[in-house]
Amino acid sequence: MEIIMYCVKNITKDLYWVGADDHRQPLFENIHPIPNGVSYNSYLLLDQKTVLFDTVDWAVCREFIQNIESVLQGRTLDYLVINHMEPDHGAAIEEILLRYPDVIVISSKMAFQFMEQLGISNQKNCEIIADGVSKCFGEHTVTFYAAPMVHWPEAMVAFDETDGVLFSADAFGSFGTLNGRIFSDEYDFENEYLDEYRRYYTNIVGKFGAQVGNLLKKAAGLPIQIICPLHGAVVRNNLELFIEKYEKWSLYEPEEDGVLIIYASMYGNTEQVAKTVASKLCEMNLGKIVLYDISAVNMSYLIAETFRFKHLILGSVTYNMDMFPLMHNLLMDMKALNIQNKEVAFIENGTWSCNAANQMKTVIETMKNMVAIEKKITIKSSILPSQTEQINDFTSHLKELWT
Ligand code: FEO
């Protein structure tokens, strides 16, 4: 079938991507910057019955409706599967119900409850589907699997047994618009895709490693050929690469043995220490050394980096007798996202009553499988030549621990 709309894409002979890119919203979930935008993916299956898998955010609804109409070419929509009810995918449900009043909506029991809570009415044709149940739409038989907390409790995924297509909801998603390249093999994974794939995972579903692990176990038993997520590229090649990252992240295993240094500095003095430490560590074969000013980089990027690295150095000025507020925010976010399995060392600064390292250490010690290293660097206002030995001692200790 020839489709005129440029942004509709064929995935298999009878499955179409009918989603849309959003270049306009600056923040995802009104918190995470998306300078490269985001895609809201939706998929339309043309079988004896027509089946739409999920909808889109309201921001791109008009384009979405045009895409659906262009693929349906006059046919009606028989089924709407809602794998995930969060409004970035469920916002256009009511528009679909108004345009196709006889459509049967298939979803989990909890998703229907959420629809009501979100004010979506007219659910006259609802079909609650249970975990592991299959449904035939003609040539295609689709089995539905519960995927609680990936990323909301109502979430499920759908597997098209006929073509091996997994509609994976938020799992395997990414930030970034598609701009016509909807397949992951149209990207350079390491250089173009991985960082935003990681940032999406860590900030959106990073907290739910155990639940992601459960989904991966279910998925491992399926003959998956293609993964169709609700954001980011469709994966049809080298699935192992994407799954391998998920396995690592869900277990909170680092990807790099190197050292991530994040510092909070008001007047450049703590920064100077952090840079000096970075410089010395670079000479010690400790792998990649990465340094960030917490005031200059959005939290979502720092969170992604904390998942990536095994070793962490946090540096902070003392501020109102505590750590710097942005460092507090970072640690609270790390804790909320269940970040685990790191060894953390500290640099602190305080002109009087220096207290930042203690405060940071106290939070780290409340987190699972996190080691707070006792040896630290303390400066009082700025680093003095007499403290050279303290820095050397600190970096030598880290070298012993981390090589
Ligand atoms: Fe993309 Fe959890 O919604």
Side-chain angles (χ1 to χ4, degrees):
M1 174 177 28
E2 186 169 357
I3 306 279
I4 305 301
M5 306 295 292
Y6 89 94
C7 49
V8 167
K9 288 274 189 173
N10 232 159
I11 295 171
T12 63
K13 75 173 170 50
D14 41 17
L15 181 66
Y16 294 81
W17 178 85
V18 290
D21 283 334
D22 185 350
H23 293 268
R24 294 189 172 191
Q25 292 200 55
L27 298 172
F28 187 79
E29 295 182 346
N30 212 16
I31 182 168
H32 309 296
I34 40 172
N36 303 314
V38 70
S39 71
Y40 306 110
N41 298 339
S42 171
Y43 304 93
L44 182 51
L45 179 67
L46 300 185
D47 200 340
Q48 286 172 20
K49 299 294 181 184
T50 57
V51 187
L52 182 66
F53 291 87
D54 291 288
T55 74
V56 296
D57 190 271
W58 190 250
V60 295
C61 186
R62 191 178 69 156
E63 187 178 332
F64 170 61
I65 295 295
Q66 287 171 339
N67 287 348
I68 291 169
E69 286 174 353
S70 71
V71 173
L72 285 175
Q73 295 197 343
R75 290 183 69 180
T76 190
L77 183 65
D78 297 308
Y79 289 95
L80 169 62
V81 172
I82 295 296
N83 283 317
H84 184 22
M85 198 38 230
E86 193 165 2
D88 54 336
H89 311 295
I93 292 174
E94 197 146 32
E95 189 64 27
I96 294 292
L97 296 177
L98 288 169
R99 287 168 184 267
Y100 304 99
D102 295 325
V103 70
I104 297 170
V105 182
I106 298 173
S107 197
S108 65
K109 187 175 180 187
M110 193 180 283
F112 284 113
Q113 179 193 320
F114 288 1
M115 279 180 222
E116 272 188 45
Q117 290 172 206
L118 284 157
I120 294 170
S121 55
N122 192 26
Q123 295 174 48
K124 61 174 184 172
N125 295 320
C126 300
E127 190 170 327
I128 294 171
I129 205 96
D131 183 34
V133 170
S134 300
K135 196 165 172 63
C136 184
F137 298 105
E139 282 182 27
H140 294 260
T141 297
V142 175
T143 305
F144 301 89
Y145 296 97
M149 301 319 298
V150 187
H151 133 240
W152 277 16
E154 91 302 355
M156 60 182 199
V157 299
F159 183 64
D160 179 345
E161 312 272 357
T162 311
D163 281 345
V165 177
L166 179 70
F167 299 94
S168 62
D170 270 347
F172 304 106
S174 177
F175 292 136
T177 50
L178 299 173
N179 306 330
R181 292 188 293 171
I182 74 154
F183 296 106
S184 60
D185 49 280
E186 296 170 310
Y187 294 79
D188 175 342
F189 181 75
E190 290 285 337
N191 294 313
E192 266 190 298
Y193 201 79
L194 177 57
D195 284 348
E196 287 294 73
Y197 183 55
R198 181 191 298 107
R199 190 166 69 94
Y200 174 86
Y201 174 89
T202 54
N203 286 279
I204 307 304
V205 283
K207 180 180 182 67
F208 308 111
Q211 292 84 351
V212 170
N214 291 337
L215 177 59
L216 290 174
K217 278 183 206 141
K218 280 187 187 176
L222 304 175
I224 300 170
Q225 301 295 316
I226 299 174
I227 299 174
C228 290
L230 288 177
H231 305 284
V234 170
V235 185
R236 64 180 176 184
N237 286 88
N238 210 354
L239 274 62
E240 306 74 34
L241 192 63
F242 291 80
I243 293 169
E244 182 194 318
K245 289 293 178 192
Y246 258 57
E247 283 170 347
K248 205 171 264 296
W249 295 331
S250 68
L251 293 169
Y252 303 93
E253 285 179 0
E255 294 161 82
E256 303 260 4
D257 275 340
V259 183
L260 169 66
I261 305 172
I262 301 173
Y263 64 85
S265 184
M266 291 167 68
Y267 301 107
N269 295 303
T270 311
E271 177 178 0
Q272 190 181 12
V273 180
K275 284 178 180 170
T276 306
V277 167
S279 174
K280 288 191 176 296
L281 293 179
C282 281
E283 295 161 9
M284 292 178 165
N285 296 322
L286 286 172
K288 195 178 281 183
I289 310 294
V290 177
L291 183 81
Y292 289 101
D293 178 345
I294 202 166
S295 301
V297 182
N298 177 268
M299 192 75 71
S300 65
Y301 294 89
L302 299 176
I303 286 295
E305 291 293 74
T306 56
F307 269 75
R308 185 174 154 214
F309 284 92
K310 183 172 184 184
H311 304 125
L312 191 53
I313 299 175
L314 300 178
S316 178
V317 291
T318 302
Y319 195 97
N320 289 334
M321 305 298 289
D322 205 325
M323 69 188 94
F324 196 63
L326 294 177
M327 185 59 75
H328 183 262
N329 291 352
L330 174 66
L331 283 169
M332 289 301 106
D333 213 11
M334 286 171 62
K335 186 171 170 168
L337 292 170
N338 270 332
I339 287 179
Q340 306 169 22
N341 305 328
K342 312 284 171 199
E343 293 178 12
V344 189
F346 304 98
I347 298 166
E348 64 178 349
N349 189 358
T351 302
W352 73 98
S353 301
C354 189
N355 197 31
N358 271 342
Q359 296 295 330
M360 291 187 285
K361 185 167 174 278
T362 300
V363 179
I364 289 290
E365 285 175 341
T366 64
M367 297 164 67
K368 196 173 172 189
N369 296 333
M370 298 287 268
V371 176
I373 294 166
E374 286 297 327
K375 194 176 282 291
K376 63 183 178 182
I377 294 176
T378 300
I379 62 167
K380 292 183 175 178
S381 304
S382 68
I383 189 148
L384 301 174
S386 59
Q387 289 178 288
T388 303
E389 198 47 45
Q390 193 190 157
I391 290 187
N392 287 340
D393 196 30
F394 179 77
T395 51
S396 299
H397 184 65
L398 295 185
K399 185 185 176 193
E400 266 177 44
L401 287 176
W402 291 348
T403 49

